[in-house]
Amino acid sequence: STVVVHTEAGLAFRADKVVVTLPLGVLKSNAVAFLPPLPPTNAHAMQLLGVGLVNKVAMRFRRAFWPVEEDYLPLMSTYCDHSTFISLYNSSGGLPVLVSLTTCTLARWIERSSDSEVVAHMCFALQKMFPQTYDGTLPVAYCVTRWRADPLARGSYSYVSRRAIAYDYVRLAQPVADRLYFAGEATSRWHPSTVHGAYYSGLREAMRICGDSWQDVEPSDQELRSRVPRRPLRGDVSR
């Protein structure tokens, strides 16, 4: 028998096998129905694993007012719920771009705030960081993510919640009746929450469907680190 995928647009796609790469947040939201229902192994793992939230705010300014030799600009304070800015000046060939990484309370606040409110908050934090070089001028361009509000994401990444264990990633990835397969970062045992984890999971399921050996497709953390040449960090990391 074949697998039939029905879309909201009323289309139907038939295939011998289907690889599900939907984000964990979408799966947990019940926006997609499986008939018959998923086996308890997959369904329980899906329920136990958590979905975290990281929002980013990318801003391009007319000029760089921060120390361009630094790529990582941390902020630790009691007056501003903020933590980190990443400078793309060196990696982009000199573009005056900063990216704010936000989590927890600030990431949730971004979800319900307007772009202008979010950018104003970022500029306030930057004024506190660079009072001598930044006068609060708004960026010439910006982009604000709201991953939890995005119906195609429903969050940013998976994590092992207090009720889950790491092996739940493996349970979620279990094929169903040799017809339904799962890939994506939330099915990666060694590299969940990452782009390369999602990539390796795709290779794993492709090889599994083709009948090839797939157990060693995804390298462990130690194996992956051994393949990457060590490079010194840019800037002063002692502060």
Side-chain angles (χ1 to χ4, degrees):
S1 60
T2 59
V3 182
V4 183
V5 179
H6 296 275
T7 71
E8 290 183 342
L11 301 176
F13 299 89
R14 298 179 180 272
D16 294 330
K17 301 177 187 292
V18 169
V19 181
V20 178
T21 60
L22 295 169
L24 179 61
V26 174
L27 293 173
K28 290 173 70 72
S29 70
N30 295 319
V32 177
F34 293 88
L35 297 175
L38 293 176
T41 297
N42 308 77
H44 194 53
M46 186 186 303
Q47 182 183 23
L48 293 180
L49 290 170
V51 180
L53 180 64
V54 172
N55 274 317
K56 297 181 181 181
V57 183
M59 299 171 291
R60 178 173 179 174
F61 295 88
R62 295 189 183 281
R63 62 176 182 85
F65 50 82
W66 56 93
V68 296
E69 68 276 8
E70 303 281 1
D71 295 335
Y72 180 73
L73 305 170
L75 170 63
M76 299 179 65
S77 70
T78 58
Y79 56 77
C80 181
D81 183 10
H82 206 86
S83 58
T84 305
F85 284 97
I86 302 296
S87 171
L88 302 187
Y89 188 89
N90 295 297
S91 61
S92 66
L95 294 178
V97 175
L98 290 176
V99 178
S100 169
L101 305 180
T102 69
T103 60
C104 302
T105 303
L106 184 55
R108 293 191 293 270
W109 174 79
I110 288 176
E111 293 281 325
R112 62 179 186 272
S113 302
S114 66
D115 283 0
S116 59
E117 291 173 322
V118 172
V119 172
H121 175 91
M122 300 301 160
C123 291
F124 171 78
L126 289 169
Q127 278 188 290
K128 295 297 184 180
M129 294 175 68
F130 306 106
Q132 304 300 321
T133 56
Y134 178 52
D135 60 4
T137 302
L138 293 176
V140 297
Y142 57 81
C143 180
V144 181
T145 70
R146 294 178 179 84
W147 290 118
R148 182 152 291 166
D150 187 337
L152 301 182
R154 304 288 187 181
S156 304
Y157 60 91
S158 65
Y159 69 92
V160 179
S161 70
R162 288 179 293 178
R163 299 185 301 155
I165 60 175
Y167 197 73
D168 285 321
Y169 287 118
V170 179
R171 294 190 176 105
L172 179 57
Q174 292 301 304
V176 177
D178 198 29
R179 298 287 185 185
L180 196 63
Y181 300 81
F182 291 89
E185 59 85 12
T187 71
S188 172
R189 170 62 181 88
W190 292 107
H191 306 286
S193 313
T194 67
V195 173
H196 58 277
Y199 170 76
Y200 283 126
S201 75
L203 294 180
R204 179 195 68 217
E205 295 310 308
M207 295 182 71
R208 195 195 314 247
I209 291 172
C210 292
D212 298 330
S213 176
W214 53 267
Q215 286 84 352
D216 298 326
V217 170
E218 185 178 11
S220 66
D221 290 337
Q222 184 175 0
E223 292 170 332
L224 193 61
R225 282 195 296 267
S226 67
R227 300 178 186 179
V228 179
R230 301 296 296 272
R231 295 183 299 176
L233 294 174
R234 184 188 297 274
D236 182 6
V237 297
S238 62
R239 353 176 241 186

